[in-house]
Amino acid sequence: MQKHNFSAGPCILPQSVLQKSAEAVLNFNDLNLSLIEISHRSKDFVEVMDNARNLALEHLGLQNKGYQALFLQGGASLEFLMVAYNLLEKKAAYLNTGTWSDKAIKEAKLLGEVVEVATSKSENFNFIPKNYTVPKDADYFHCTSNNTIFGTQMQSFPETKIPMVCDMSSDIFSRQLDFSKFSLIYAGAQKNMGPAGTTLVVVKEDILGKVSRVIPSMLNYKIHIDKESMFNTPAVFPVYVSMLTLQWLKDLGGISAIEKINNQKAELLYNEIDRNPLFEGFVTKKEDRSKMNATFNLRNDQLKATFDDHLKQTGINGLNGHRSVGGYRASMYNALPLESVQVLVDIMQSIEKGA
Amino acid sequence: MQKHNFSAGPCILPQSVLQKSAEAVLNFNDLNLSLIEISHRSKDFVEVMDNARNLALEHLGLQNKGYQALFLQGGASLEFLMVAYNLLEKKAAYLNTGTWSDKAIKEAKLLGEVVEVATSKSENFNFIPKNYTVPKDADYFHCTSNNTIFGTQMQSFPETKIPMVCDMSSDIFSRQLDFSKFSLIYAGAQKNMGPAGTTLVVVKEDILGKVSRVIPSMLNYKIHIDKESMFNTPAVFPVYVSMLTLQWLKDLGGISAIEKINNQKAELLYNEIDRNPLFEGFVTKKEDRSKMNATFNLRNDQLKATFDDHLKQTGINGLNGHRSVGGYRASMYNALPLESVQVLVDIMQSIEKGA
Ligand SMILES: Cc1ncc(COP(=O)(O)O)c(C=O)c1O
Ligand SMILES: Cc1ncc(COP(=O)(O)O)c(C=O)c1O
Ligand SMILES: [Mg+2]
Ligand SMILES: [Mg+2]
Ligand SMILES: [Mg+2]
Ligand SMILES: [Mg+2]
């Protein structure tokens, strides 16, 4: 049965990318060798890494603007620490909009003072705080563009003179933004970019080298930049699949093209959540709704078994909400076709009709 | 043309493992979903992680002995730092037998005093120092069992009461040792275990929790243990391929079975290096020779073009020595068949005959 994969991450990837990745595991570039058994210093893999780094900057419109793209190991979770290690001298400002921001704050506190400019924690993060002030004397401001667990997404970012750092793990490459407003962007690959195991870091070089501490080699962005993201052995397969996905996005017309489809998917689903009396959204303010992760509940718990059964029969995968929110979460990343959302909406309508 | 892959890492993996890995990228466990697009918290992937962890302990004979196996990101290079973060309170003892030991020492020095018990650096690491003393009051003793770059391998390990930590990146699962003598073993996957992107850490739990510093979450072994190696999203594909390779090794008869073949391969090649007047080994003492990485030189530089051409014609891949050693390096990891070594030896003999 064909699956409709709404998983929150790792998540759906383009079918053509999966096909090419499987082929490369058997025979890469007609070398009669697998992608995963050649040296990372070989011409063939260095080209993959270069392409991946260039494509990332190209999609974000950050080529020739003083930025470097890195593909590191450790996940976004290691970036929580690395950001602070590389940038936090005295004080940093964090906006707390969800579990991931909260974890980023925890790691940063080990290295300096953290000012939480605003938080929606007491409301289980069901909205995005606004009208906060970012202290001018902080070393940087950190935010999470999309809150994967709660289904909120920042629609605007503060104007600030200090470097802005953003965890874009769950909405990178999904919508146009002026990315040059950010001094550092990071994102675990396993949503819009590739398989788990590599993390994209895009950093403006001139913000580095300003802290007084000695930074361990593996945590030091400057060292990774100097070694062109090959200070040590990179995660070859995840980087390759990410490169293919970035190429797929380019062939499709880039972020502006995928954004139109993402808007259609989100509109289709949220309209149904609102219209259908059986369902309600989790996020309190509509303007804070995430186009990547739509969180919603069944108003009547007694229908749960029927709904879940429909989901299963139709091949819908990964729709359970995160344990800290409950209910349902439909993750609609770049590779998810509009058709899958339509299948979900059809089910929502059919249980309304008592089918 | 069939390839004979002598690459130093990433390196050859069993053909059956590559086949299964490619299939899983298209359709995993008959789910009609790719391995890389399902949640790492799904039953199917949790089973992979559990199997991988259990197989690692089983091969090392460390089940039910107070050890935990973890599959982390960051490569062995991040372990250089993590080892010190978790274990170094005041002073640590390191044996310096190569570039990798040297790098491990560099990171440890950021966190405490490092005593280098012995080093072969002044001789470009062409032998393993012996007869050194490990200070009894150090927090731990660190060594590198096999020096990938220089082709030396430790045949014996010191008897010491302090915890022994070993970087086994390039010879893990290749030979029988009393692994219970080690309190912590780590190894980047990309030699005998799998593709780049995951690192095995096997740690005796009772050595943890003794340093006074606060350890950042991602660097804290205890946190990774408590979360069963899923504190954050693991490198799904590299862990899966590692699990398959560990299963392949088990089906083959385990470490003791593969060790016999590894001994045959090493004997075959070193005998030829010694016998053949055109070649000489790099390592000065025969007892220090690595069975994984054989480093050797052509005595007559003028034959280089001919030899290299023969290698190319025969499909031999990855035989160039590391830039810091020069010459040639034949890496003969577990998955390399004896037949490939025979092909190499045949070429060495044919250029001797002037063919
Ligand atoms: C927004 C966000 N940040 C950080 C993370 C943590 O990423 P990782 O598991 O790669 O460390 C996630 C994971 O889902 C996420 O959604
Ligand atoms: C013995 C040894 N230790 C450490 C490393 C570094 O591993 P990684 O590149 O995964 O950080 C290597 C890499 O080849 C190695 O051979
Ligand atoms: Mg969140
Ligand atoms: Mg409704
Ligand atoms: Mg070495
Ligand atoms: Mg000789």
Side-chain angles (χ1 to χ4, degrees), chain B residues 82-342:
Chain B
M82 286 177 71
V83 163
Y85 242 113
N86 285 269
L87 304 178
L88 179 45
E89 180 71 17
K90 270 198 161 154
K91 187 167 91 175
Y94 279 70
L95 175 63
N96 191 350
T97 53
T99 308
W100 303 115
S101 313
D102 217 38
K103 289 187 182 230
I105 290 168
K106 185 177 170 218
E107 302 309 312
K109 278 184 174 164
L110 298 177
L111 294 158
E113 185 192 339
V114 171
V115 181
E116 217 177 87
V117 297
T119 177
S120 45
K121 196 170 189 170
S122 63
E123 306 299 315
N124 201 21
F125 298 116
N126 65 10
F127 72 101
I128 301 271
K130 276 140 223 151
N131 303 318
Y132 48 84
T133 314
V134 177
K136 288 192 191 70
D137 61 342
D139 298 319
Y140 61 91
F141 167 68
H142 179 286
C143 57
T144 312
S145 55
N146 184 72
N147 301 287
T148 329
I149 293 176
F150 305 95
T152 61
Q153 189 172 26
M154 294 175 77
Q155 305 307 338
S156 65
F157 295 84
E159 295 296 328
T160 157
K161 291 236 159 64
I162 64 174
M164 184 151 62
V165 176
C166 190
D167 174 359
M168 295 196 187
S169 292
S170 51
D171 69 353
I172 190 140
F173 304 123
S174 73
R175 58 170 173 172
Q176 277 298 4
L177 290 174
D178 178 358
F179 294 101
S180 72
K181 284 193 173 171
F182 302 90
S183 296
L184 193 153
I185 294 166
Y186 63 90
Q190 67 271 15
K191 274 85 177 181
N192 279 328
M193 198 172 69
T198 189
T199 306
L200 173 67
V201 174
V202 173
V203 57
K204 204 164 182 193
E205 258 193 285
D206 67 9
I207 67 166
L208 300 176
K210 300 197 169 158
V211 291
S212 55
R213 73 175 63 82
V214 180
I215 306 170
S217 309
M218 278 295 289
L219 305 182
N220 192 331
Y221 292 128
K222 194 82 192 62
I223 287 184
H224 289 291
I225 290 170
D226 290 346
K227 298 291 181 181
E228 302 181 327
S229 205
M230 296 257 216
F231 169 66
N232 74 327
T233 320
V236 166
F237 181 82
V239 172
Y240 176 69
V241 183
S242 299
M243 186 276 277
L244 291 180
T245 310
L246 293 171
Q247 187 62 56
W248 166 86
L249 181 58
K250 186 173 169 178
D251 295 344
L252 210 118
I255 295 183
S256 63
I258 204 77
E259 183 173 20
K260 288 198 193 104
I261 308 174
N262 288 335
N263 285 342
Q264 287 170 17
K265 292 185 285 182
E267 209 186 316
L268 180 58
L269 181 57
Y270 282 119
N271 280 347
E272 182 60 20
I273 291 170
D274 292 339
R275 189 208 57 76
N276 192 322
L278 299 185
F279 295 93
E280 67 190 340
F282 167 79
V283 175
T284 51
K285 293 179 188 150
K286 287 192 183 177
E287 82 255 23
D288 296 339
R289 283 174 163 178
S290 166
K291 287 180 174 152
M292 294 286 103
N293 316 94
T295 45
F296 59 99
N297 289 295
L298 253 180
R299 285 184 203 266
N300 180 350
D301 260 359
Q302 296 190 310
L303 288 172
K304 185 169 162 45
T306 316
F307 186 54
D308 289 354
D309 190 56
H310 272 64
L311 296 174
K312 210 173 161 185
Q313 298 306 327
T314 333
I316 288 187
N317 176 65
L319 207 78
N320 278 338
H322 188 275
R323 61 192 176 282
S324 56
V325 179
Y328 297 93
R329 169 173 52 170
S331 296
M332 300 175 286
Y333 298 117
N334 284 356
L336 186 86
L338 182 62
E339 182 215 346
S340 290
V341 182
Q342 188 61 58

Side-chain angles (χ1 to χ4, degrees), chain A residues 3 31 73-74 85 107 217, chain B residues 3 31 73-74 85 107 217:
Chain A
K3 290 294 171 80
L31 294 170
Q73 291 186 61
Y85 242 115
E107 302 308 313
S217 308
Chain B
K3 290 294 172 78
L31 295 172
Q73 291 187 61
Y85 242 113
E107 302 309 312
S217 309

Side-chain angles (χ1 to χ4, degrees), chain A residues 272-277 279-280 299:
Chain A
E272 182 61 20
I273 291 171
D274 291 339
R275 187 208 58 77
N276 192 322
F279 295 93
E280 67 188 340
R299 286 185 203 265

